[in-house]
Amino acid sequence: MSMIDPTARIEDGAVIGEGTSVGPYCIIGPNVVIGANCKLIAHVHITAQTTIGDGCTIYPFASLGTPPQSLSYRGELTKLEVGAGCTIRESVTMNAGTVAGGGITRVGDRGYFMNCSHVGHDCHVGNDVIFATSATLGGHCEIGDFVFIGGLSAVHQFTRIGPQVMIGGVCGVRGDVIPFGLANGQYASLEGLNIIGMKRRKFTRERLAAVRSFYQKLFHGPGIFAERLAAVQPLAAEDPAIAQILAFIGEAKHRALCMPADDGNRN
């Protein structure tokens, strides 16, 4: 049985899952579907065609499914999907998609979004991510699983961040960050591999050594980057992580690759 505070406003057509509690002064739009066993603490605003997965906890002043901050938006009913088990802290914002971008913003399962973090329109965010305070995504970003984005960091629109990446605090991320990468700096540059995260994902010493060796050859070996990239292609067979990094680079779309600061040749 759902528990709904009498001060909450739930529009006709909204679906509230079994065991979900809706606290004081929440506003739920008519096209919203909230899963089972969620907890909306108070003053939560959910609109558009938004779905919230089971077991999410949403704190005061979060605003989900609000119109995309895009000049192309013309009032269309678009979507936001939030997966199961997410924690969405105070004043988090997540915008619905745009028609031009596919009409949907997707957020995976078990994400932890600290206060004032933002997911822009048409972003696709993976599972088990952590966004620290005021971490911000521009529109159309692609964020892999197990990504950590530090406080006050901002990711430029159309940027890709691969799985298991760590972004430091107060970073401006303007280029695609390879899977397992560690990026830091005012304008983010690649500082190495997210070794701590890889160990948490049970990488053995042998695997870590293989990926580290590959990383050094690709980003710090002799010659220009294009030559090094061609030379390391056979290493994809040595470890799935290496294959994943190479595939990520090969699938480049809109942004240049985030490179180490000491790599003077970015060709």
Side-chain angles (χ1 to χ4, degrees):
M1 184 175 181
S2 300
M3 296 164 284
I4 300 173
D5 189 272
T7 63
R9 180 171 177 177
I10 301 177
E11 300 285 349
D12 292 341
V15 177
I16 308 298
E18 184 176 356
T20 288
S21 64
V22 180
Y25 303 105
C26 293
I27 299 175
I28 311 298
N31 300 293
V32 172
V33 177
I34 299 176
N37 300 312
C38 292
K39 188 173 184 180
L40 281 60
I41 305 296
H43 293 278
V44 173
H45 177 233
I46 307 178
T47 187
Q49 197 169 344
T50 296
T51 61
I52 307 293
D54 296 346
C56 291
T57 302
I58 308 175
Y59 282 76
F61 308 110
S63 186
L64 309 178
T66 44
Q69 298 175 70
S70 169
L71 297 178
S72 69
Y73 182 65
R74 296 293 182 268
E76 303 93 347
L77 180 62
T78 52
K79 297 180 180 180
L80 167 67
E81 289 183 359
V82 177
C86 290
T87 299
I88 299 174
R89 294 299 302 262
E90 297 84 354
S91 300
V92 168
T93 53
M94 297 182 182
N95 292 160
T98 63
V99 171
I104 186 167
T105 303
R106 287 192 175 95
V107 173
D109 298 336
R110 298 175 299 280
Y112 195 103
F113 298 87
M114 297 186 194
N115 62 297
C116 301
S117 55
H118 173 70
V119 176
H121 61 85
D122 304 296
C123 289
H124 291 179
V125 178
N127 301 320
D128 300 288
V129 301
I130 299 174
F131 283 33
T133 296
S134 296
T136 297
L137 301 183
H140 307 275
C141 292
E142 298 177 22
I143 311 298
D145 296 342
F146 296 104
V147 166
F148 175 89
I149 301 180
L152 299 170
S153 290
V155 181
H156 199 290
Q157 62 182 359
F158 290 102
T159 298
R160 298 179 303 145
I161 295 179
Q164 301 191 43
V165 165
M166 175 173 281
I167 305 294
V170 200
C171 286
V173 184
R174 302 180 294 177
D176 292 347
V177 183
I178 61 166
F180 312 100
L182 171 63
N184 208 353
Q186 180 180 359
Y187 295 110
S189 60
L190 195 61
E191 291 192 345
L193 294 169
N194 180 16
I195 298 299
I196 293 175
M198 295 168 78
K199 288 180 177 178
R200 288 174 178 169
R201 305 278 82 76
K202 309 300 182 185
F203 273 66
T204 63
R205 289 184 179 181
E206 293 75 16
R207 290 194 68 193
L208 285 172
V211 181
R212 276 174 156 167
S213 175
F214 159 81
Y215 178 91
Q216 290 297 320
K217 291 174 183 176
L218 177 58
F219 290 104
H220 299 290
I224 66 173
F225 180 76
E227 294 170 344
R228 301 195 300 264
L229 180 61
V232 298
Q233 293 296 324
L235 299 179
E238 291 192 4
D239 190 276
I242 296 174
Q244 191 172 7
I245 293 169
L246 289 172
F248 180 91
I249 295 171
E251 294 165 359
K253 297 178 181 178
H254 301 279
R255 298 287 167 213
L257 203 62
C258 181
M259 301 288 282
D262 59 358
D263 188 347
N265 191 324
R266 295 170 182 256
N267 296 322

